[in-house]
Every structure is written in structure tokens, then in C-alpha cells.
Amino acid sequence: MNAFDRLCGSAIGPVGIAVSGGGDSLALLLLAQKWARAKGRHLIAFTVDHRLRPEAAEEAAGVAALCGRLHIPHQTLVWNRPAGKQAAARRARHALMATELKARGGTHLMLGHTEDDQCETFLMRARQGSTWYGLAGMQPVSLSPVWPEGQGILLARPVLGYSREALRHVLLEAGQYWVDDPSNANPVYERVRVRALLARHPRLKRGILASQARLQQLRRLEERAMGRWIEHNVKANAEAGRFEISLGGLPLERAERLISLLIQIIAGREVPPRRDGVQPLVAHLVSEHRFDGATLGGALIYRKSGLIQLSAEPAVTGPEADFGRAEARLGAIMALYCGQT
């Protein structure tokens, strides 16, 4: 229960739980119910029906029935714009749950990610050429990945340090059955192939987890340093609608990470610009050579009198490019980074 206290103890309003009907999320539901009952907290469970499988509605009804027995409010959210890509479904899922949770005054949404998910993420990111920062994997607490629907929502992963097998034991002891999404066995998806690889090589999993534990520590230190640097070196010029910063004295890798983050925020994007675009940009920004400005990831970047100015491109309009939202998003990131223990 310590993980629930640490990650969700400061939550405002009801704490949301994403429950698909699979083993990981159902085990999370049972554990969260015990925590909430002991702490006097209110929960609300969400199940998203993507309308991609005919069985999904029945599975959502099964989750609703279980929540009824546990006295936990439940809502099934339906996505009416189905698509075949997992990325689109993931975005829709997060947007629906964030919107409903905010409407009820909630700030924290629990997810049932496990250490097995961490290992899979490590191998997938390694194949993509990720730096050590990305290989650290998912964080116990992070900002919602969707924008602007997810503004103000934190994702909490209380069972991130436990295996999928351990969560199955929780369900078996409670006499609770779960469903397996057929896509979890479809080798067309990279994560499924990686999962099969890890099942064949248990020593590989142990090695990855040991490495990730160290990388997680380094990442927490790096993010605290980044949060402090942002607090003292990033000026929000609301009148001009831009951020103003100086990169003097920053290590190159950290400068790249910060510029990438600020571009993502000022442009209102859900993902940062590609690293192969950020690296040459930062090399120009920290050099003494003439720099006439650039555009990247929906942002305009200029250097004037030693200060770097970042603003949204004129073509980027709408709530996702609102500077007030950008300031709020930056503040949430600083709070998250500086509040880590």
C-alpha cells in the first residue's frame, strides 16, 4: 500500500483507475480498493470500448459488474472513431479518461503497468536508438500524454515494481478471472514479439531490471536538475507569447533535452520533435556562428542578444497553442521534476 500512498496520497477528488478487464488492471483495481477503503479515498473506474472488437462491450460490462460488487463507481467510455493503429487507440483512451476524470474534479489516474511492461519498453526503445534517459522507462508518476485534454492530470503506476505473474496471483487468490485481449498474442505488434523474447530468456529480464533501476535513479537526478534550471533560467514573456532562455554553461545533452521539451510545450504538441532535428539546432544555438532563426516541431526559434526565443509558429492556432496553457504545462513539469524523491 506504500506505493499507493506515495503516488496518490496528494490526489484531489476521486482517484481514477483505468480498467480494461485484463489481468494487470483488474489486480490494480482490487489493490486500489483495499487502499481506498483503508484511507477513506474515493475511486472511479473507467473502461474504454474502442469498438475494435465485438467482445469489448461484454468485457466492459463484466468490469462494471465487478466494480458494482466492490462499490466502486464505474463508467464505460466509447470511442466512436475506430482505427486500426494502436497509437490512435491509445491516444483516444487517454483523452476520454482524462476528460471524464477532470469533469469529476480528479487529478490522478492509476494505470496497471508492471515491471514486465518496463522491460518490453526498454528493448523497444533500445532498438529505436534511445538514449539512457529513454531507456530508464516509464516513471511512477508522469503527466498525461494527451494535450490539451490531459492538462492537469497525472498518471500514477502503483504496481510498476511488480511482475505480471505476481498480479495474476492476486487475482487467483481472490477467485477473480480476467480476459486476454487477442492483440496481446498477435506478433504483428512489436511489443508482442518482445514479450515472447523475454519469456524465452528470463535472465535477460533480470539484467534489464537491474540496469533500469540505476537509470531510474539517474533520470530522477537529471529531472531535478532540469526543473531547477527551468525555474531560474526560463522566462515566460506572456505579452510576446514566447519563452526566453540562455543555454550558457549547460552540458550539450541537457541543452538538447530542454530545447526539445520547450519546443513541444510552446507548440502544444503531444510528442517532442525528432532528436535528429534537435541535435543540429542546438549545435547552432550554442555556437558563436550567425543564426538566422529556424522552425522545428511547430515552433519558431531565434537568438537575439544571447537569448534564445521560442514561440509557436503563426500557423499553429487553437487551444493547443495557447500561451497560457503552455505556461501551465511548463509549471506542471517543473512541479513534477522538483517534487521527485
Side-chain angles (χ1 to χ4, degrees):
M1 296 295 101
N2 289 339
F4 288 88
D5 284 334
R6 178 166 47 86
L7 302 182
C8 299
S10 63
I12 297 172
V15 179
I17 316 173
V19 189
S20 66
D24 299 342
S25 63
L26 284 181
L28 173 65
L29 179 69
L30 297 183
L31 294 171
Q33 191 258 358
K34 292 181 180 179
W35 169 76
R37 187 172 54 192
K39 299 295 182 177
R41 298 301 306 246
H42 296 288
L43 303 175
I44 180 168
F46 299 111
T47 303
V48 178
D49 180 359
H50 297 93
R51 295 284 176 88
L52 299 178
R53 296 185 298 111
E55 305 88 356
E58 183 180 347
E59 292 165 3
V63 174
L66 173 61
C67 288
R69 294 193 294 273
L70 296 174
H71 305 290
I72 296 173
H74 174 272
Q75 185 173 4
T76 297
L77 307 172
V78 178
W79 184 36
N80 290 313
R81 291 170 291 176
K85 293 186 177 180
Q86 283 191 334
R90 176 178 179 271
R91 199 238 175 255
R93 181 165 62 248
H94 277 286
L96 287 167
M97 291 190 292
T99 299
E100 292 298 327
L101 181 58
K102 284 199 296 184
R104 289 160 175 76
T107 58
H108 288 56
L109 176 67
M110 295 186 193
L111 303 179
H113 290 129
T114 68
E115 67 178 24
D116 296 277
D117 295 305
Q118 282 284 57
C119 291
E120 294 156 15
T121 299
F122 180 96
L123 291 178
M124 292 166 65
R125 290 182 178 179
R127 184 194 62 77
Q128 296 164 359
S130 178
T131 65
W132 69 267
Y133 186 82
L135 293 178
M138 294 175 284
Q139 303 303 294
V141 176
S142 62
L143 299 181
S144 171
V146 294
W147 184 259
E149 300 95 331
Q151 182 179 3
I153 297 297
L154 291 175
L155 305 183
R157 301 177 174 89
V159 294
L160 194 58
Y162 295 88
S163 69
R164 198 168 287 136
E165 182 182 7
L167 295 185
R168 297 300 185 275
H169 281 302
V170 170
L171 295 174
L172 291 173
E173 289 178 356
Q176 177 62 50
Y177 295 100
W178 64 92
V179 297
D180 289 312
D181 187 330
S183 66
N184 290 332
N186 188 345
V188 72
Y189 298 115
E190 181 182 17
R191 185 172 292 276
V192 174
R193 299 193 298 272
V194 169
R195 187 170 299 174
L197 173 67
L198 287 165
R200 295 194 301 269
H201 301 282
R203 291 181 61 185
L204 176 60
K205 176 184 174 180
R206 292 195 293 271
I208 291 172
L209 290 174
S211 296
Q212 273 193 325
R214 296 177 178 88
L215 292 176
Q216 286 270 355
Q217 292 176 341
L218 289 175
R219 179 161 171 166
R220 283 193 290 271
L221 292 172
E222 172 69 5
E223 289 181 346
R224 278 204 294 271
M226 287 171 60
R228 288 194 297 267
W229 188 91
I230 290 171
E231 183 179 8
H232 296 293
N233 295 281
V234 176
K235 177 185 177 183
N237 187 332
E239 184 177 350
R242 68 187 181 217
F243 292 129
E244 299 172 353
I245 64 173
S246 171
L247 295 177
L250 271 182
L252 189 59
E253 183 183 348
R254 185 174 296 167
E256 292 172 0
R257 195 169 292 123
L258 285 162
I259 287 293
S260 178
L261 177 65
L262 291 172
I263 288 174
Q264 179 184 357
I265 292 171
I266 197 69
R269 299 292 174 86
E270 294 180 359
V271 295
R274 288 174 57 92
R275 189 164 177 251
D276 56 9
V278 175
Q279 283 183 309
L281 170 65
V282 173
H284 283 298
L285 290 175
V286 300
S287 74
E288 297 182 358
H289 298 113
R290 175 177 172 176
F291 180 73
D292 295 322
T295 61
L296 182 66
L300 293 172
I301 305 100
Y302 290 100
R303 185 176 63 194
K304 185 176 181 180
S305 302
L307 281 181
I308 297 164
Q309 302 174 347
L310 296 98
S311 58
E313 286 191 76
V316 180
T317 59
E320 67 277 3
D322 179 82
F323 190 72
R325 288 181 181 271
E327 284 188 281
R329 194 176 186 183
L330 183 63
I333 289 172
M334 288 169 53
L336 182 65
Y337 286 179
C338 295
Q340 295 188 68
T341 58

